[in-house]
């Protein structure tokens, strides 16, 4: 956790708060240390950016979750639209 906090220029408490907010659940090492994926670090950075702009932590986490859900829905929509287009051509 210390290295992740250092990379993001945040405190370990900030990362624990993201865990408590259920933004993501880091993996744990055999010794119980939190291990963050690159994706989780990107999410944490996005939250930090919002918090730095004055957004409350819980609101920032909710915004990030909704942005990710929207992006996933758009990807699904694009795939389905391609299938429809292919079916119309055949």
């Amino acid at each position: 956790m210390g290295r992740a906090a250092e990379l993001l220029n945040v405190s370990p408490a900030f990362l624990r708060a993201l865990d408590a907010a259920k933004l993501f659940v880091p993996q744990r090492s055999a010794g119980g240390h939190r291990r963050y994926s690159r994706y989780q670090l990107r999410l944490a950075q996005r939250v930090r950016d919002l918090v730095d702009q004055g957004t409350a932590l819980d609101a920032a986490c909710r915004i990030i979750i909704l942005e990710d859900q929207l992006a996933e829905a758009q990807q699904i929509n694009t795939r389905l639209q391609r299938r429809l287009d292919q079916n119309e051509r055949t």
Side-chain angles (χ1 to χ4, degrees), residues 13-89:
F14 179 83
L15 292 174
R16 284 192 292 275
L18 298 182
D19 192 4
K22 305 283 190 238
L23 180 63
F24 50 72
V25 178
Q27 296 294 315
R28 297 280 183 153
S29 69
H33 299 283
R34 288 176 176 88
R35 301 287 174 119
Y36 298 95
S37 68
R38 288 183 178 149
Y39 174 72
Q40 290 171 333
L41 291 175
R42 283 193 303 271
L43 290 179
Q45 182 62 54
R46 288 168 57 196
V47 170
R48 180 179 174 251
D49 292 343
L50 287 171
V51 168
D52 286 350
Q53 295 171 15
T55 306
L57 180 70
D58 59 335
C61 289
R62 187 68 180 138
I63 288 167
I64 299 305
I65 290 167
L66 290 171
E67 285 177 347
D68 281 357
Q69 288 174 345
L70 176 60
E72 184 178 348
Q74 288 172 328
Q75 290 172 355
I76 291 168
N77 188 35
T78 299
R79 284 194 303 268
L80 291 173
Q81 189 60 50
R82 284 184 191 140
R83 281 189 200 166
L84 282 173
D85 293 346
Q86 288 174 350
N87 287 339
E88 287 177 1
R89 286 186 233 145

